Amino acid sequence: MVQVAVMAPDGQVEKIERDGNPAALAALRQMAALMLKAALQHEFDGIRLGAAVAEDDQFYVDSDKDDQQVSADQLDDLAAAMKQIAKDGLKVEFAEVDLDAALAEARDDQFTNELLKEHAHDGKVALYRLGDAAIVAEAPILVYANVVKHYQLLSVAGAYWKGMSSNPMLQRIYGTVFFNGDDLAADLKARQEAKERDHRVIGNQLDLFFVDPKVGAGLPYWMPKGSTIRRTIERYIIDREVSDDYEHVYTPVLMNLDAYKTSGHWQHYRDDMFPPMDMGDGEMLELRPMNCPSHIQVYKHHIRSYRDLPLRIAELGMMHRYEKSGALSGLQRVREMTLNDGHTFVALNQIQKEFAKILKLIMSVYEDFDITDYTFRLSYRDPKNTDKYYANDEMWEQAQSMLKGAMDDLGLDYYEAEGEAAFYGPKLDIQTKTALGNEETMSTIQLDFMLPERFDLHYVGEDGKQHRPVMIHRGVVGTMERFIAYLTEIYKGAFPTWLAPQQVTIIPVSDDKHGAYADQLAAQLKAANVRVKVDHRNEKMGYKIREAQTQKVPYTLVVGEDEQANGSVSVRKYGEKDQTSLSKQEFLNEILADIASYSRKN
């Protein structure tokens, strides 16, 4: 059993098992971060240094220079400097020093000064020292630098100091490190796969969307191709919901702040909401963070009878969240999003039947998108910390029991998670696996006894008396932004034919001789609602075919003398080298069947 020496933030040292121990790996990353900071100090005089951080899967150091920032070309030199630190046999020393002395040592490094002040207690600050470099002692760290052998500096990127756009932009250098070379090689391979599947990279390559911080961080602009994918999904979802007896509505993105105070969102999610807008006459409007109060207003607009229930209201509802700049990421974390949202108002005895109906809809949608890797999580409140939840023990017990009973009736496997409920009720979370194996919540079904009470909702029962409905919140595929990010990475940009922004590229062998035939063929396909373009550019045919493959177009049709004479097409599918000759009608039948089956192979 191999052990390594680890120092705790109080200076105590102990030996722990190295292999397969997450604590040892975390301490290794912390040491690598400190070594990188030492290397930066050695290589660049006067450099200012921010945090040296060990994350779950990497480490990084933030830096700032008066002249040009650290570039990717300089990573090899920094890695060599880290190697020399290991060869020199340096070890970490613990020191608790006077804050004033630590500040004097940091001189004019504003970022280090700020970190020192934040972590000082009673005029002193605890530090880890490695040669001339030091970091605040916050997390366990390896003692000996010579243990750090298998590492690689990965990239440089801009990062706002403390993740706030109002702060200076620093240069963040990322790295990865392991105790053995095989683990490092496996990690680098996984990172390359992640890069190839990164929806931000693919989105740029295929011209699907962009985000420009200069005009609004976290606010995606959908380009024509990305808009086509989104529109196809939206039309599909609306058609599925309408066929499932949902009534689709449009509601405003602005609402009186009082509604969110009544719902509890203001009390529970204020930090995630944009500041209210004062209209100057006492009215305060809020960009909505959730759609549920809006759908409640639709319910309240008429007197409701038991005959109206279940009443299913759905919307592709735009919402806004006050996300910090440092948390934003492509389409996955944005400030403006459109949720595939729905709320059903039911009588108490309709809950389990409606729950089953919603779940069957979700699973059917998953089948059409070929989503097969998912699990069910029943999310309950934390019984040891009930302060952050709606205070009604009877409601919670009843709602949690109903959800569990519904899942048992359906015979579906699930696991239970305390502390994952919404503040107003328990929920079923459907957890999917991303292309890189990470788990995220795709869909939810939530029971809510609280909002109907807070908004004083009623329906007239069969007995002529007023009764309180129960509200079921549900999202089938979450937000359009996150769902398309998920699909982009799952499909690696090669969208199935029914979703592909361009389904067919037609390439005439000679534009002068065969261009008119290509246009005629395109017109026939467009008449059948196939998304098609003819490549009339004055480029070599091989170049055009390669570009169609690069753009991941499902079908490339080449038409020349023989095809024009025979009324046929030469078909090449994406990812395949072989070509097939089909009549125009045969190809039309094939692609329409492909689209109609949601590109599922028979």
Side-chain angles (χ1 to χ4, degrees), residues 189-199 201 436 489:
K189 182 178 179 181
R191 288 178 186 276
Q192 181 59 33
E193 176 71 10
K195 185 177 180 180
E196 292 174 0
R197 289 186 181 274
D198 189 327
H199 78 279
V201 175
L436 301 175
E489 295 183 354

Side-chain angles (χ1 to χ4, degrees), residues 200 202-212 219-232 331 484 501-502 533 551:
R200 295 166 298 183
I202 296 171
N204 182 59
Q205 292 170 341
L206 301 184
D207 198 23
L208 304 181
F209 73 94
F210 70 89
V211 180
D212 187 347
L219 302 173
Y221 284 71
W222 294 87
M223 297 299 284
K225 289 182 179 180
S227 298
T228 298
I229 296 169
R230 174 171 171 164
R231 186 168 53 251
T232 301
L331 297 176
I484 291 174
Q502 183 178 329
K533 286 188 178 180
Q551 289 297 303

Side-chain angles (χ1 to χ4, degrees), residues 95-103 105 116 120-121 123-127 129:
E96 193 170 46
V97 302
D98 289 333
L99 175 61
D100 290 341
L103 293 174
E105 184 179 332
L116 291 170
H121 298 283
K124 292 184 177 295
V125 61
L127 300 175
R129 292 191 183 278

